[in-house]
Amino acid sequence: MKRAIVIILVLILVAGGGLGGLIMLGIVPNPFNPKIPVKPLTAAEKAAKDLEEKNRFKPPLAAYQMFKMPDMVIPVIINGQSQRHVLLTARVVGNSASDKTFITDNMSRFQDAVLNDLVPYFQNYFPMHDTLDAVEIKTRLIKHSKDIFGAHAKDVLLMNVFEQSVGRIQ
């Protein structure tokens, strides 16, 4: 008798699991969730739905190609003395693997443009501010990447940016 009960319970378990799997896959219609008729959308709802669809994230079709920019130490020179250093780590995001040679060949030009822009920027920025503005730094990096690499660069990924005081710790 005990064997028969165990066999029946196992059969119910297997049948229930199989039926649940078929319902989840959509092969068998779900008897607990009947189809609810869809009401027509108004013009405003349709426009909102179209806008939402337009702004929805579309994943890339291939992996991004990232090219490492060598870590940069940018001196902050105020009144003729190096007051701080800003350490910068970034990656240039290319459109495809074919852009590798162009980006790697022009990486030194990109670094030079970044240094020529950020040294005077920090010289004027730090007397009025205490913290770094990562959004502004990224905007400047993207501008320089578009100037140097053109259509070969898609974006610049700012990995790390922080400042370090020069001199004794007080």
Side-chain angles (χ1 to χ4, degrees):
M1 185 66 182
K2 290 181 183 178
R3 284 187 184 177
I5 293 174
V6 169
I7 291 173
I8 291 173
L9 288 175
V10 168
L11 287 175
I12 290 173
L13 183 67
V14 169
L19 185 63
L22 292 175
I23 288 172
M24 292 298 289
L25 291 173
I27 297 172
V28 176
N30 188 350
F32 303 109
N33 187 16
K35 296 286 183 190
I36 300 170
V38 179
K39 65 176 184 165
L41 297 175
T42 64
E45 291 173 335
K46 187 171 193 268
K49 186 176 179 182
D50 291 343
L51 181 64
E52 180 184 330
E53 185 65 33
K54 179 184 166 202
N55 292 335
R56 183 172 300 192
F57 174 72
K58 293 171 186 69
L61 299 176
Y64 289 130
Q65 297 294 320
M66 291 194 201
F67 306 100
K68 185 178 186 315
M69 179 181 91
D71 297 342
M72 297 180 70
V73 178
I74 303 163
V76 179
I77 302 169
I78 300 173
N79 297 329
Q81 293 184 346
S82 179
Q83 302 282 329
R84 305 172 185 192
H85 291 137
V86 175
L87 290 93
L88 181 73
T89 305
R91 305 282 188 271
V92 177
V93 180
N95 288 321
S96 64
S98 62
D99 296 328
K100 180 177 183 174
T101 56
F102 184 82
I103 290 177
T104 53
D105 290 346
N106 291 304
M107 188 60 75
S108 60
R109 287 182 53 220
F110 176 66
Q111 285 182 281
D112 188 46
V114 169
L115 274 175
N116 286 337
D117 179 37
L118 289 182
V119 169
Y121 169 72
F122 289 140
Q123 198 171 18
N124 297 325
Y125 178 80
F126 275 112
M128 296 177 283
H129 302 90
D130 289 334
T131 58
L132 288 168
D133 184 5
V135 175
E136 176 65 24
I137 294 170
K138 180 175 169 111
T139 305
R140 288 173 177 267
L141 290 174
I142 290 172
K143 177 188 170 291
H144 292 301
S145 73
K146 294 299 179 190
D147 291 346
I148 302 295
F149 303 124
H152 296 280
K154 183 176 190 131
D155 194 7
V156 175
L157 179 62
L158 184 60
M159 303 288 286
N160 195 3
V161 60
F162 62 93
E163 64 166 307
Q164 180 181 21
S165 314
V166 175
R168 287 185 283 151
I169 299 175
Q170 299 185 13

